[in-house]
Amino acid sequence: MPRLTRRRFIGLAAGVAGMTLFGGLRMPKARAAENSLKIWNWSYYIDEALLDEFAAHAGIPRENIVYDEYDDPNVVLSRLEAGKSGYDVVIIPDYILDVAIKEGLLMELNKSLIPNYPHLDEKFKSTPYDPEGRYSAVYMWGTTGFGYRSDLAEKITTLRQIFDPDYGYLKKYSKKITMLEEPIEVILACKAFLGKSVDDWSDETMQEVKEALIRQKPYLAAYAGANVYVEGLKNGSIYVAHAYNGDIVRLQDEEGVDQASFAIPEEGGTIWTDNMCIPKDAENVELAHEFINFMLDPEVSGRNSDYIKYASPVKEARNYVSEEVLENPAVYVPEDLMKKLWFTPQLDEEARRKIENLMIEVKASTVKPEGGIPGFEVGAALTALGGSSLIRKFR
């Protein structure tokens, strides 16, 4: 989720003086100069003015806060697994959180030190990866849907447009549509199209998914990561892309791409989360809890959301988010669709094996679309679009 462009945050005039107004935050207190906090987060994923404010609130010098950024969360996982992460707070995506909890790499949160925890929306207090919120607090969240060029293609309103050739959309925009390279995202969307539960990994359902994906495949340009579909949407070689909302927000920030839009079909889409956690080897545990509590304050979280243009999990944070960001469906999902979103389910080894085998068969298929256009080869399509895809989400 590298975030290469973000507008400047407006409205910091209240500055540090406004901190004592934040609900649930204690008054600033003096601390020893050696008391420090080390934080590791995705790149371009915080309003750094908040770090200054937290330092003043916590009563420590700003230079005692070490804030590092990463672009590959697998690097964070490797450091956690080594047992010497060197950080007090790490902000990690849901699929890394899942592994970290299972491997016992995180410290259990002390909720008594996080009085702002109740401000979290109920649906973010219990996720498939951390059902009781014992090891994490959601930092920001987003969705998987479809980015499209509104000047080149019709809006995505239903998954029938994407998966049913007879609907006409695939044929109309043949070779101008990409699906995500991550099999789990493609399969979950296809299940929703078929009216299946995201937790249904039965052989019968997987067979239906495979058949639907094989029918869809000849009309696609590629299974692509963000560095391919973002560039494709930007230059007009791609009209529609199965995409992470953050990529489209980033594209909307760029000059000359006014037609970049984002939509979630009526059947729904995936919710992803990034999560604040304390590593087992954290040295400054109390201050780590205090930072998590600070970031869950409604005003702090709302201002952060407004700056980075990602949705806050804190209910009251919307009171501090600009109308421009609140009304952007690429950031905050319309209320009528929220109930149709799903979290990525936890996968056992059998489900992982089925996913892997299914996609091998789909990518090896050679079905031709109506009219005799040859089926594409994924590698060749990616090359034609200008590069290879990223390993993981580019939020």
Coordinates of all heavy atoms in Angstrom, one line a residue, residues 41-82:
N41 N 5.0 1.3 10.3 CA 3.7 1.4 9.6 C 4.0 1.4 8.1 O 5.1 1.6 7.6 CB 3.0 2.7 10.0 CG 1.6 2.8 9.6 OD1 1.0 1.9 9.1 ND2 1.0 4.0 9.9
W42 N 2.9 1.1 7.3 CA 2.9 1.3 5.9 C 3.4 2.7 5.5 O 3.2 3.6 6.3 CB 1.6 1.1 5.3 CG 1.0 -0.3 5.2 CD1 0.1 -0.8 6.1 CD2 1.3 -1.3 4.3 NE1 -0.3 -2.1 5.7 CE2 0.5 -2.4 4.6 CE3 2.1 -1.4 3.2 CZ2 0.5 -3.6 3.9 CZ3 2.1 -2.6 2.5 CH2 1.3 -3.7 2.8
S43 N 4.0 2.8 4.4 CA 4.5 4.1 3.9 C 3.3 5.0 3.6 O 2.2 4.6 3.2 CB 5.4 4.0 2.7 OG 4.7 3.3 1.6
Y44 N 3.5 6.3 3.8 CA 2.5 7.4 3.5 C 1.1 7.1 4.1 O 0.1 7.2 3.5 CB 2.3 7.5 2.0 CG 3.5 7.9 1.2 CD1 4.3 6.9 0.6 CD2 4.0 9.2 1.1 CE1 5.5 7.2 0.0 CE2 5.1 9.5 0.4 CZ 5.9 8.5 -0.1 OH 7.0 8.9 -0.8
Y45 N 1.1 6.7 5.4 CA -0.1 6.2 6.0 C -0.4 6.8 7.4 O -1.0 6.2 8.2 CB 0.0 4.7 6.1 CG -1.3 3.9 6.2 CD1 -2.4 4.4 5.6 CD2 -1.3 2.6 6.8 CE1 -3.6 3.6 5.7 CE2 -2.5 1.9 6.8 CZ -3.6 2.4 6.3 OH -4.8 1.6 6.3
I46 N 0.0 8.1 7.5 CA -0.3 8.8 8.8 C -0.1 10.3 8.5 O 0.7 10.7 7.7 CB 0.6 8.3 10.0 CG1 0.0 8.8 11.3 CG2 2.0 8.9 9.8 CD1 0.6 8.2 12.5
D47 N -0.9 11.1 9.2 CA -0.7 12.5 9.2 C 0.4 12.7 10.3 O 0.2 12.6 11.5 CB -1.9 13.2 9.6 CG -1.7 14.7 9.9 OD1 -0.6 15.2 9.6 OD2 -2.6 15.4 10.4
E48 N 1.6 13.0 9.9 CA 2.8 13.0 10.8 C 2.7 14.1 11.8 O 3.4 14.1 12.8 CB 4.1 13.1 10.0 CG 4.3 11.8 9.2 CD 5.8 11.6 8.8 OE1 6.7 12.2 9.4 OE2 6.0 10.9 7.9
A49 N 1.8 15.1 11.6 CA 1.6 16.1 12.6 C 1.1 15.5 13.9 O 1.3 16.0 15.0 CB 0.6 17.2 12.1
L50 N 0.4 14.4 13.8 CA -0.2 13.7 14.9 C 0.9 13.1 15.8 O 0.8 12.9 17.0 CB -1.1 12.6 14.5 CG -2.4 13.1 13.8 CD1 -3.3 11.9 13.3 CD2 -3.2 14.0 14.8
L51 N 2.1 12.8 15.2 CA 3.2 12.3 16.0 C 3.7 13.4 16.9 O 4.1 13.1 18.0 CB 4.3 11.7 15.1 CG 3.9 10.6 14.2 CD1 5.1 10.2 13.2 CD2 3.5 9.4 15.0
D52 N 3.8 14.6 16.4 CA 4.2 15.7 17.2 C 3.3 15.9 18.4 O 3.7 16.2 19.5 CB 4.2 17.0 16.3 CG 5.2 16.9 15.2 OD1 6.2 16.1 15.2 OD2 5.0 17.7 14.2
E53 N 2.0 15.8 18.1 CA 1.0 16.0 19.1 C 1.0 14.9 20.1 O 0.8 15.1 21.3 CB -0.4 16.1 18.5 CG -0.6 17.3 17.6 CD -2.0 17.5 17.1 OE1 -2.9 16.9 17.6 OE2 -2.1 18.2 16.1
F54 N 1.3 13.7 19.7 CA 1.3 12.6 20.7 C 2.6 12.8 21.6 O 2.5 12.5 22.8 CB 1.4 11.2 20.0 CG 1.6 10.1 20.9 CD1 0.6 9.7 21.8 CD2 2.9 9.5 21.1 CE1 0.8 8.7 22.7 CE2 3.0 8.4 22.0 CZ 2.0 8.0 22.8
A55 N 3.7 13.2 21.0 CA 4.9 13.4 21.8 C 4.6 14.4 23.0 O 4.9 14.2 24.1 CB 6.0 13.9 21.0
A56 N 3.9 15.5 22.6 CA 3.5 16.5 23.6 C 2.6 16.0 24.6 O 2.7 16.2 25.8 CB 3.0 17.8 22.9
H57 N 1.6 15.2 24.1 CA 0.6 14.6 25.0 C 1.2 13.6 26.0 O 0.9 13.6 27.2 CB -0.4 13.9 24.2 CG -1.2 12.8 24.9 ND1 -2.1 13.1 25.9 CD2 -1.0 11.4 24.9 CE1 -2.6 12.0 26.4 NE2 -1.9 11.0 25.8
A58 N 2.2 12.8 25.5 CA 2.8 11.8 26.3 C 3.9 12.4 27.2 O 4.5 11.7 28.1 CB 3.4 10.7 25.4
G59 N 4.4 13.6 26.9 CA 5.4 14.2 27.7 C 6.8 13.8 27.4 O 7.6 13.7 28.3
I60 N 7.0 13.4 26.1 CA 8.4 13.0 25.7 C 8.8 13.9 24.5 O 8.0 14.4 23.8 CB 8.4 11.5 25.3 CG1 7.4 11.3 24.1 CG2 8.0 10.6 26.5 CD1 7.5 9.9 23.5
P61 N 10.1 14.0 24.4 CA 10.6 14.7 23.2 C 10.2 14.1 21.9 O 10.2 12.8 21.8 CB 12.2 14.7 23.4 CG 12.4 14.3 24.8 CD 11.2 13.5 25.2
R62 N 9.9 14.9 20.9 CA 9.5 14.3 19.6 C 10.6 13.4 19.0 O 10.2 12.4 18.4 CB 9.2 15.5 18.6 CG 9.0 15.0 17.2 CD 7.7 14.1 17.1 NE 7.5 13.7 15.7 CZ 8.1 12.7 15.2 NH1 8.9 11.9 15.8 NH2 7.8 12.3 13.9
E63 N 11.8 13.7 19.3 CA 12.9 12.8 18.7 C 12.9 11.4 19.4 O 13.6 10.5 18.9 CB 14.3 13.5 18.8 CG 14.7 13.9 20.3 CD 14.3 15.3 20.6 OE1 13.3 15.8 20.0 OE2 15.0 15.9 21.5
N64 N 12.2 11.3 20.5 CA 12.1 10.0 21.1 C 11.1 9.1 20.4 O 10.9 7.9 20.9 CB 11.8 10.1 22.6 CG 13.0 10.5 23.4 OD1 13.9 11.1 22.9 ND2 12.9 10.2 24.7
I65 N 10.4 9.6 19.5 CA 9.4 8.8 18.7 C 10.1 8.4 17.4 O 10.4 9.3 16.5 CB 8.1 9.5 18.4 CG1 7.4 9.8 19.7 CG2 7.2 8.6 17.5 CD1 6.1 10.5 19.5
V66 N 10.4 7.1 17.2 CA 11.0 6.6 16.0 C 9.8 6.1 15.1 O 9.2 5.1 15.5 CB 12.0 5.5 16.2 CG1 12.6 4.9 14.9 CG2 13.2 6.0 17.1
Y67 N 9.6 6.7 14.0 CA 8.5 6.3 13.1 C 9.1 5.8 11.7 O 9.7 6.6 11.0 CB 7.6 7.4 12.8 CG 6.4 7.0 12.0 CD1 5.2 6.4 12.5 CD2 6.4 7.3 10.6 CE1 4.2 6.1 11.8 CE2 5.3 6.9 9.8 CZ 4.2 6.3 10.4 OH 3.1 6.0 9.6
D68 N 9.1 4.5 11.5 CA 9.6 3.9 10.3 C 8.5 3.4 9.4 O 7.4 3.1 9.9 CB 10.6 2.8 10.6 CG 11.9 3.2 11.2 OD1 12.2 4.4 11.0 OD2 12.5 2.5 12.0
E69 N 8.8 3.3 8.1 CA 7.8 2.9 7.1 C 8.3 1.7 6.3 O 9.5 1.5 6.2 CB 7.5 4.0 6.1 CG 7.0 5.3 6.8 CD 6.7 6.4 5.8 OE1 7.4 6.4 4.7 OE2 5.9 7.3 6.1
Y70 N 7.3 0.9 5.9 CA 7.6 -0.3 5.1 C 6.7 -0.4 3.9 O 5.6 0.3 3.9 CB 7.5 -1.6 5.9 CG 6.1 -1.9 6.4 CD1 5.2 -2.6 5.6 CD2 5.7 -1.6 7.7 CE1 4.0 -2.9 6.0 CE2 4.4 -1.9 8.1 CZ 3.6 -2.6 7.3 OH 2.3 -2.9 7.7
D71 N 7.1 -1.1 2.9 CA 6.2 -1.3 1.7 C 5.9 -2.8 1.5 O 4.9 -3.1 0.8 CB 7.0 -0.8 0.4 CG 7.0 0.7 0.4 OD1 6.1 1.3 0.8 OD2 8.1 1.2 0.0
D72 N 6.6 -3.7 2.2 CA 6.3 -5.1 2.1 C 6.0 -5.6 3.5 O 7.0 -5.8 4.3 CB 7.4 -5.9 1.5 CG 7.2 -7.3 1.3 OD1 6.1 -7.8 1.7 OD2 8.0 -8.1 0.8
P73 N 4.8 -6.0 3.9 CA 4.5 -6.5 5.2 C 5.2 -7.8 5.6 O 5.3 -8.1 6.7 CB 3.0 -6.6 5.2 CG 2.6 -6.7 3.8 CD 3.6 -5.9 3.0
N74 N 5.6 -8.5 4.6 CA 6.3 -9.8 4.8 C 7.6 -9.5 5.5 O 8.1 -10.4 6.3 CB 6.5 -10.6 3.5 CG 5.2 -11.0 2.9 OD1 4.5 -11.9 3.5 ND2 4.8 -10.5 1.8
V75 N 8.2 -8.4 5.3 CA 9.4 -8.0 6.0 C 9.1 -7.8 7.5 O 9.9 -8.3 8.3 CB 10.0 -6.7 5.4 CG1 11.2 -6.2 6.2 CG2 10.4 -6.9 4.0
V76 N 8.0 -7.2 7.8 CA 7.6 -7.0 9.2 C 7.4 -8.4 9.9 O 7.9 -8.7 11.0 CB 6.3 -6.2 9.3 CG1 5.9 -6.0 10.8 CG2 6.5 -4.9 8.6
L77 N 6.7 -9.3 9.1 CA 6.5 -10.6 9.7 C 7.8 -11.4 10.0 O 7.9 -12.0 11.0 CB 5.6 -11.5 8.7 CG 5.3 -12.9 9.2 CD1 4.5 -12.9 10.5 CD2 4.4 -13.6 8.1
S78 N 8.7 -11.2 9.1 CA 10.0 -11.9 9.2 C 10.7 -11.4 10.5 O 11.3 -12.2 11.2 CB 10.9 -11.7 8.0 OG 10.3 -12.3 6.9
R79 N 10.7 -10.1 10.7 CA 11.3 -9.5 11.9 C 10.6 -10.0 13.2 O 11.2 -10.3 14.2 CB 11.3 -8.0 11.8 CG 12.2 -7.4 10.8 CD 13.6 -7.2 11.3 NE 13.7 -6.1 12.3 CZ 13.9 -4.9 11.9 NH1 14.0 -4.5 10.6 NH2 14.0 -3.9 12.9
L80 N 9.3 -10.1 13.1 CA 8.5 -10.6 14.3 C 8.9 -12.0 14.6 O 9.1 -12.4 15.7 CB 7.0 -10.4 14.0 CG 6.4 -9.0 14.0 CD1 5.0 -9.1 13.6 CD2 6.5 -8.3 15.3
E81 N 9.0 -12.8 13.5 CA 9.3 -14.2 13.7 C 10.7 -14.4 14.2 O 11.0 -15.4 14.9 CB 9.2 -14.9 12.3 CG 7.7 -15.1 11.9 CD 7.6 -15.7 10.5 OE1 8.5 -15.5 9.7 OE2 6.5 -16.3 10.3
A82 N 11.6 -13.5 13.9 CA 13.0 -13.6 14.4 C 13.1 -13.2 15.9 O 14.1 -13.5 16.5 CB 13.9 -12.6 13.6

